[in-house]
Amino acid sequence: MIKYIDFKVDFQKAIRYTPEKIVKGDYSSIVFRFTTEQDISDHTLRVAFELEDGSNFLLDAVNEDSNTALLEIPTGVLSLIGTVNCQVSLYDNDSRLTNPVGFYFFVVDDFSDGAIEASDNVPILTDLIQQVNTIIDTFDGATWEIFKEGVI
C-alpha cells in the first residue's frame, strides 16, 4: 500500500505541509505529492534531501499534471534515523527557475525489527514450575517445611 504525503507549494510564498514520521527503510511505499500554485507543465520539480549524517540526494519528481508532481522516496533517503531536511525547486533543464522552498520530515526506527512476538506460551517458565512441583511432591510435608526454611 502506498502512502501519499501531500505538500502544497507556492514558490512565491512558502510550502504548506505537516512534518511526517516515516519508518526507516519504508521505501517503495512512500510518495510525496507536490501540488503547486504555479504551472509546472514544461518544467521539472527537483527535491534535494540532506540526511542526518550530511549526505545529500537530488531527485526529480514526475509531473502528473500541470500542477502536480509525484516523487517516490527511494531507499537511501530513508536509510538513517533522524531529521531529513529538504528543499524543492522548479527547474528548466539544468537551470533553477525558483528559489528553493524548505521542508523536513523525520525517519524513525522500525520497532517491529527484532521484536519478540507476544505469546502466553512460556516453555521455560512452564518447565521450571513443573520441576518445582515434582520436587515438592517428592518430599513429605515435614521434610518440605524443613527444606523451605533452609535447614536441609
Side-chain angles (χ1 to χ4, degrees):
M1 180 187 287
I2 293 179
K3 177 180 180 180
Y4 289 91
I5 300 174
D6 292 313
F7 299 89
K8 297 196 183 314
V9 182
D10 183 341
F11 289 107
Q12 295 175 349
K13 294 181 182 175
I15 188 168
R16 288 192 327 243
Y17 71 103
T18 301
E20 292 280 336
K21 291 182 181 177
I22 302 172
V23 176
K24 177 183 175 186
D26 197 11
Y27 51 90
S28 297
S29 64
I30 304 293
V31 174
F32 286 177
R33 180 173 30 217
F34 296 95
T35 304
T36 63
E37 291 294 320
Q38 293 76 20
D39 187 330
I40 59 172
S41 298
D42 297 324
H43 306 295
T44 302
L45 200 77
R46 190 164 288 161
V47 183
F49 298 87
E50 182 179 55
L51 277 54
E52 195 73 29
D53 68 351
S55 58
N56 294 294
F57 293 89
L58 189 60
L59 302 169
D60 290 346
V62 176
N63 289 357
E64 187 176 57
D65 60 40
S66 63
N67 295 92
T68 307
L70 303 176
L71 178 62
E72 184 176 314
I73 304 304
T75 311
V77 172
L78 302 177
S79 62
L80 294 175
I81 295 170
T83 303
V84 178
N85 291 304
C86 310
Q87 293 179 332
V88 60
S89 302
L90 196 59
Y91 279 77
D92 183 20
N93 297 319
D94 287 331
S95 300
R96 190 168 69 193
L97 301 174
T98 63
N99 287 326
V101 178
F103 65 97
Y104 64 94
F105 63 92
F106 305 102
V107 176
V108 296
D109 203 5
D110 184 354
F111 297 136
S112 66
D113 282 351
I116 298 171
E117 186 176 331
S119 170
D120 291 337
N121 183 9
V122 215
I124 294 173
L125 184 57
T126 303
D127 185 47
L128 289 172
I129 291 170
Q130 288 174 347
Q131 288 177 25
V132 168
N133 286 334
T134 302
I135 292 170
I136 291 170
D137 291 344
T138 304
F139 291 102
D140 62 24
T143 308
W144 174 244
E145 290 302 318
I146 294 169
F147 179 77
K148 272 191 345 186
E149 293 177 18
V151 176
I152 296 181

